[in-house]
Amino acid sequence: MTAIDARMIEDGDPLVFDVTVRDQGSETQHRVTLSRKDLLRLGGGADAQRFIDAAFRFLLDREAKESILARFDMSVVAGYFPEFEQKLPHYLAMKRHCDRE
């Protein structure tokens, strides 16, 4: 099982997160920025923490954790994966569903 630990380290604009992805005894570290504008536009009302978690689950469904950039802004994800903005609401809904169980 893969664990995603996103910790907000700056609450400005952009928001800045340190994200650790762990599975099978190894981990990767990522520094991720997210503009408040993108959070409002793409987040469907989700908070920033939920957004980052959903975005990383999206990425992990498409590539190994070691392939995810060490530093990036969320706005670049759609450049690598054009379906990101269309699929993100599904990942946000999955998290909400899991939270209820």
Side-chain angles (χ1 to χ4, degrees):
M1 182 174 170
T2 302
I4 301 164
D5 178 28
R7 187 172 52 91
M8 185 184 301
I9 61 169
E10 291 183 29
D11 189 19
D13 194 8
L15 303 165
V16 181
F17 292 84
D18 278 341
V19 181
T20 302
V21 181
R22 292 181 187 89
D23 69 359
Q24 301 174 359
S26 69
E27 67 180 42
T28 57
Q29 302 287 327
H30 311 271
R31 175 71 51 95
V32 181
T33 54
L34 170 63
S35 73
R36 291 182 181 274
K37 180 180 176 182
D38 283 347
L39 175 60
L40 286 173
R41 184 172 66 86
L42 301 172
D47 65 28
Q49 200 85 21
R50 184 181 301 252
F51 183 100
I52 295 294
D53 182 78
F56 265 80
R57 285 185 289 112
F58 169 89
L59 290 169
L60 290 165
D61 279 350
R62 286 154 180 81
E63 61 185 348
K65 68 185 184 305
E66 294 81 8
S67 297
I68 298 172
L69 297 171
R71 297 178 77 90
F72 66 96
D73 185 84
M74 276 294 158
S75 65
V76 305
V77 174
Y80 291 96
F81 301 99
E83 73 275 20
F84 175 66
E85 293 185 11
Q86 176 188 358
K87 299 285 186 182
L88 184 63
H90 169 74
Y91 286 86
L92 289 164
M94 284 174 42
K95 178 66 176 167
R96 283 194 292 269
H97 175 72
C98 293
D99 285 347
R100 287 192 298 253
E101 294 179 352

